[in-house]
Amino acid sequence: MAEFLNPDRLFPADPSTRKIARGLYEGVAALPIVSPHGHTDPSWFADNPNFDDATSLFLTPDHYVLRMLKSQGLSYDDLGVPRKDGAPVAEGRAAWRLFAQNFHLFTGTPSQLWIDHAMQWGFGINERLSAENADRLYDVIGERLKEDDLKPRAVLDKAGIEVIATTEFALDPMKPQDRLEAQGLTERVRTTYRPDDVCDPDRVDFVSNLAKLAEMTDCDTADWDGLIEAHRRRRAVFRRFGATATDHGVPTAHTADLPDAEKQPLLDRVLSGQMQAGDAQLFRAQMLTEMAALSVEDGMVMQIHAGVRRNTDPSLFASNGPDKGADIPAQVSPVTDLAPLLNRFGNAPGFRLIFFCLDESVYARELAPMVGYWPALLMGPPWWFHDSPRGIARYLDAMVENAGVYNLAGFNDDTRALLSIPVRHDVWRRGVSAFFADMVARGLISTSEAEGFAGYLSTEAARKAYKMG
């Protein structure tokens, strides 16, 4: 057990500092989990079915895993990833065997740590996946998944998940949320309003999506004021289902604050298919500022996830769709890009903007000073490629010195894999404990202050940032 999951993993190597970190971690390890942003399937919680098998639990939904396997020439068909055209792919056991044969590729990566821990946490497995044990572990996991204590709601209870937020697009029919509401579960399982499907003119279905939004809201979305009213009404529906936040996945952090006279002509060009160079980006930028205005109005927390080039492999996108691993971080310029939005709303009472980016180069140079000044702005946790042990360490080192602790939004797991939630939060809590243990060891803060900081960043910061407490 000690070799498989070292109890002091991720703590400092220095024995005295490690002892401090261990003590801090023991104080936060069992705190409730607030999971305020992620991509788990709401029907899991509405219907509470048994999960199918190890492959659908650990392999096919995990783009971190898939991208590594693809980098070594493995086929998504052979890994059992469903195709858009419905063509047959490898069945679960065969895909699992292939995964196990190549699990050595993940040595030293966060994926190995997450999967090892999730297998131990959920199934009592104390050995690493390999070609030799693949079939046996597949059967062990399959048998355990038939039991009630690994149904989705039971996993929430076992993990101590106080509240979890899913993410739905503006045009989502919200059928699982109807069932959650009927069962009185929308305070524990909350939705999040993500309007990318009706805010991004680069989407091939954008024009038809605006027409659908018009039908859903009884608003004229070809009129600028009607478009904003449609969002206002749709946001109200999401709030009925527990939403406290919106989320905006954008390639850049550009925002705009156009004069009223320029907004309708921009929408006209977008709808007519006669966009000028830069119109798609300008539309997204203006819509971010419009969403901020609506957040000032209705109190919903605004999240911006910026700085990623999505679906960079056209052939994979054509065969398997989005979110399969072919996404690459990109540069952002928060000071310049967010200026139009912050100049209007950065001091607005009650407005809260949580910013995430994949460009670590701007953490200390721009974002720490920004969140250390603007009342509305909080820094989201390390995201996607950086929600890792070293990524967490780099983030805390870059942010805390200039932004402090209370301008950070705590942690969210941003995952599609339910069993990875307690595992990812555990990595964060260990990283936080290690960071503040070092500050204690160097005489910068007291042990009691470190205990307070570790507890705050483990649970309370997310409650406060997302207005869930």
Side-chain angles (χ1 to χ4, degrees), residues 196-331:
D196 299 355
D197 50 347
V198 290
C199 287
D200 186 359
D202 282 332
R203 292 181 62 116
V204 295
D205 53 0
F206 176 73
V207 174
S208 63
N209 283 352
L210 281 193
K212 292 175 185 175
L213 181 63
E215 294 175 8
M216 296 178 80
T217 60
D218 196 27
C219 293
D220 180 5
T221 57
D223 172 77
W224 186 268
D225 291 338
L227 175 59
I228 303 308
E229 178 61 24
H231 280 280
R232 181 179 288 111
R233 295 182 184 184
R234 199 70 186 130
R235 290 163 68 107
V237 171
F238 275 67
R239 289 200 304 281
R240 173 186 141 199
F241 293 126
T244 66
T246 70
D247 183 41
H248 310 271
V250 286
T252 73
H254 286 290
T255 62
D257 189 14
L258 294 174
D260 289 343
E262 295 182 18
K263 296 176 183 179
Q264 185 64 46
L266 173 61
L267 178 58
D268 292 342
R269 294 195 301 274
V270 166
L271 291 176
S272 69
Q274 298 179 359
M275 288 192 293
Q276 302 170 6
D279 274 352
Q281 178 169 278
L282 181 59
F283 187 88
R284 287 191 297 266
Q286 183 62 37
M287 289 306 297
L288 286 177
T289 304
E290 299 292 344
M291 294 299 105
L294 289 175
S295 283
V296 171
E297 178 182 306
D298 63 24
M300 295 180 77
V301 177
M302 183 177 183
Q303 301 172 91
I304 294 178
H305 284 78
V308 58
R309 294 186 179 91
R310 297 178 185 269
N311 307 311
T312 60
D313 181 349
S315 62
L316 179 65
F317 184 76
S319 62
N320 296 91
D323 304 318
K324 296 297 186 291
D327 306 295
I328 306 296
Q331 291 181 326

Side-chain angles (χ1 to χ4, degrees), residues 41-47 153 166 168 172-183 185-186 189 241:
D41 186 341
S43 66
W44 292 345
F45 312 111
D47 303 329
R153 292 185 204 164
T166 64
E168 279 67 59
D172 194 289
M174 309 295 281
K175 297 300 183 184
Q177 283 73 23
D178 282 330
R179 300 194 295 278
L180 287 165
E181 183 182 48
Q183 298 171 76
L185 293 174
T186 53
V189 182
F241 293 126

